């Protein structure tokens, strides 16, 4: 049985949009040229994400503006979950993806 690859995104005390995207880049092991925006996140989730579980930590420690921005990332994550669910039912080598947000 194949082992589940878990990605942990720690947002504890994240203070800025730039810092948020740098933490995303590191957690997902995105390339240095990651564009640090929603479009780049969406693109790289489809092409570069090899994990099948995401745990987001420290969400409640972010300010309200970052939480509002992160809600847009959640829309992208939800879309990715649906896509992976669909393709995993068609192809054995594609595994479902899930995420959870911890305080």
């Amino acid at each position: 049985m194949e082992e589940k690859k878990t990605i942990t995104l720690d947002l504890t005390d994240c203070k800025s949009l730039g810092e948020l995207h740098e933490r995303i880049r590191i957690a997902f092991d995105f390339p240095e040229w990651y564009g640090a925006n929603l479009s780049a996140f969406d693109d790289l989730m489809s092409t570069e994400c090899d994990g099948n579980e995401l745990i987001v930590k420290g969400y409640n420690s972010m300010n309200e503006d970052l939480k509002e921005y992160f809600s847009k990332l959640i829309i992208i994550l939800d879309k990715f979950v649906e896509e992976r669910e669909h393709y995993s039912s068609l192809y054995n080598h594609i595994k479902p993806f899930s995420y959870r947000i911890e305080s």
Side-chain angles (χ1 to χ4, degrees):
M1 181 172 196
E2 203 171 309
E3 199 172 311
K4 182 179 264 194
K5 180 177 179 189
T6 300
I7 298 167
T8 302
L9 175 58
D10 189 352
L11 301 175
T12 304
D13 296 325
C14 184
K15 303 289 186 218
S16 70
L17 193 54
E19 183 180 356
L20 171 67
H21 277 287
E22 181 61 11
R23 291 184 189 203
I24 288 170
R25 187 190 68 75
I26 291 168
F28 283 89
D29 197 26
F30 287 164
E32 289 286 328
W33 48 263
Y34 168 60
N37 59 57
L38 294 170
S39 180
F41 179 72
D42 189 19
D43 290 345
L44 289 180
M45 283 299 292
S46 297
T47 61
E48 301 292 322
C49 180
D50 63 350
N52 44 16
E53 176 182 47
L54 170 65
I55 300 170
V56 179
K57 296 183 176 190
Y59 172 81
N60 287 335
S61 70
M62 292 192 307
N63 66 43
E64 291 306 313
D65 288 340
L66 283 179
K67 285 180 182 178
E68 185 176 329
Y69 183 84
F70 196 80
S71 69
K72 296 172 186 168
L73 289 166
I74 290 172
I75 293 168
I76 294 169
L77 288 171
D78 287 341
K79 181 185 90 166
F80 188 64
V81 167
E82 288 179 26
E83 287 175 359
R84 278 279 192 94
E85 186 65 35
H86 171 74
Y87 288 112
S88 68
S89 68
L90 299 173
Y91 305 103
N92 290 336
H93 69 282
I94 297 177
K95 303 300 177 209
F97 183 84
S98 64
Y99 70 93
R100 69 178 186 270
I101 299 173
E102 299 177 351
S103 54

